[in-house]
Amino acid sequence: GENVEQHPSTLSVQEGDSAVIKCTYSDSASNYFPWYKQELGKRPQLIIDIRSNVGEKKDQRIAVTLNKTAKHFSLHITETQPEDSAVYFCAASKGNQAGTALIFGKGTTLSVSS
Amino acid sequence: DVKVTQSSRYLVKRTGEKVFLECVQDMDHENMFWYRQDPGLGLRLIYFSYDVKMKEKGDIPEGYSVSREKKERFSLILESASTNQTSMYLCASSRGSPLHFGNGTRLTVT
């Protein structure tokens, strides 16, 4: 079945450094790639997403890049802050229908130390 | 703001019991989903539904069933609970994208 691989599983950075999380997907039909942030004890929340007709998207300190040919996408966080500490999940749509289910990676635990 | 409500935050059940996890959304979303979350395994899709009375199997449907009799409500059923179903269960809904998650139900099967 469809699969999403996410690396690294843990990432520790100093405040102010950049953090990069990478994902690869297997379903060529996937066309929607969101990133979710989950703080301890809370629900996953969408932080940024990208569709297959776009190569890069940025929102303040967060950016996502997509390489459809290679089937991989990445999350970039610049100027990290302690409140960025959380578990981050990448996901890919199960096929290309609007509203379809998402297949998630296993998550990356990001720790930002001050 | 989208609200996805899961009826129980914590649940403790015995092996062999039939367990119902309830999820209600208030935004008239067509699509609803059940995931389970385990440490190191991420979120795994159990079942989803695109419309009332419709259901699709996800990646790990074994041991589970679902019911969607009304658009706003999606129930996950564990026919005979087992200890390996101890987990955090997350419900989500959407119209298109993105998914909106509930707070989760932490189920312990003893």
Side-chain angles (χ1 to χ4, degrees), chain A residues 2 5 15 20-21 27 30 39 41 45 51 67 71-76 80 82 86 93 96-97 101 107 110 113:
Chain A
E2 299 89 342
E5 298 280 344
E15 183 178 0
V20 180
I21 303 171
D27 185 359
S30 296
E39 297 175 347
Q45 300 264 27
R51 298 194 180 273
N67 183 328
K71 288 195 269 187
H72 65 71
F73 55 114
S74 301
L75 177 72
H76 304 253
T80 53
S93 60
N96 57 15
Q97 293 180 332
L110 173 63
S113 53

Side-chain angles (χ1 to χ4, degrees), chain A residues 21-32:
Chain A
I21 303 171
K22 299 183 178 183
C23 290
T24 60
Y25 61 98
S26 62
D27 185 359
S28 299
S30 296
N31 65 350
Y32 174 64

Side-chain angles (χ1 to χ4, degrees), chain A residues 26-88:
Chain A
S26 62
D27 185 359
S28 299
S30 296
N31 65 350
Y32 174 64
F33 307 92
W35 287 86
Y36 283 81
K37 175 184 180 182
Q38 186 177 31
E39 297 175 347
L40 194 63
K42 296 190 176 181
R43 72 185 78 187
Q45 300 264 27
L46 178 76
I47 54 171
I48 195 167
D49 56 12
I50 191 167
R51 298 194 180 273
S52 58
N53 58 347
V54 175
E56 185 173 356
K57 184 177 178 181
K58 192 172 181 180
D59 182 5
Q60 299 183 334
R61 296 185 297 108
I62 294 172
V64 58
T65 58
L66 171 65
N67 183 328
K68 275 223 84 174
T69 303
K71 288 195 269 187
H72 65 71
F73 55 114
S74 301
L75 177 72
H76 304 253
I77 306 173
T78 58
E79 301 171 25
T80 53
Q81 302 166 2
E83 50 265 38
D84 293 329
S85 296
V87 180
Y88 291 80

Side-chain angles (χ1 to χ4, degrees), chain B residues 16-86:
Chain B
E17 277 193 80
K18 190 169 186 176
V19 181
F20 292 86
L21 303 184
E22 306 287 348
C23 176
V24 177
Q25 49 93 6
D26 67 353
M27 286 300 291
D28 200 37
H29 285 170
E30 293 85 5
N31 312 310
M32 296 190 74
F33 310 85
W34 276 106
Y35 288 87
R36 67 177 278 178
Q37 182 174 16
D38 300 287
L41 297 179
L43 284 73
R44 292 181 291 166
L45 180 64
I46 306 172
Y47 265 98
F48 55 108
S49 169
Y50 292 139
D51 202 349
V52 175
K53 296 193 185 295
M54 293 183 70
K55 61 184 178 184
E56 300 262 357
K57 290 181 180 180
D59 297 320
I60 53 164
E62 298 79 16
Y64 303 95
S65 62
V66 289
S67 172
R68 191 159 182 208
E69 296 296 318
K70 293 184 178 181
K71 192 174 185 179
E72 67 270 19
R73 186 181 295 271
F74 192 35
S75 303
L76 180 69
I77 303 158
L78 286 66
E79 296 290 343
S80 178
S82 63
T83 54
N84 63 11
Q85 293 178 310
T86 291

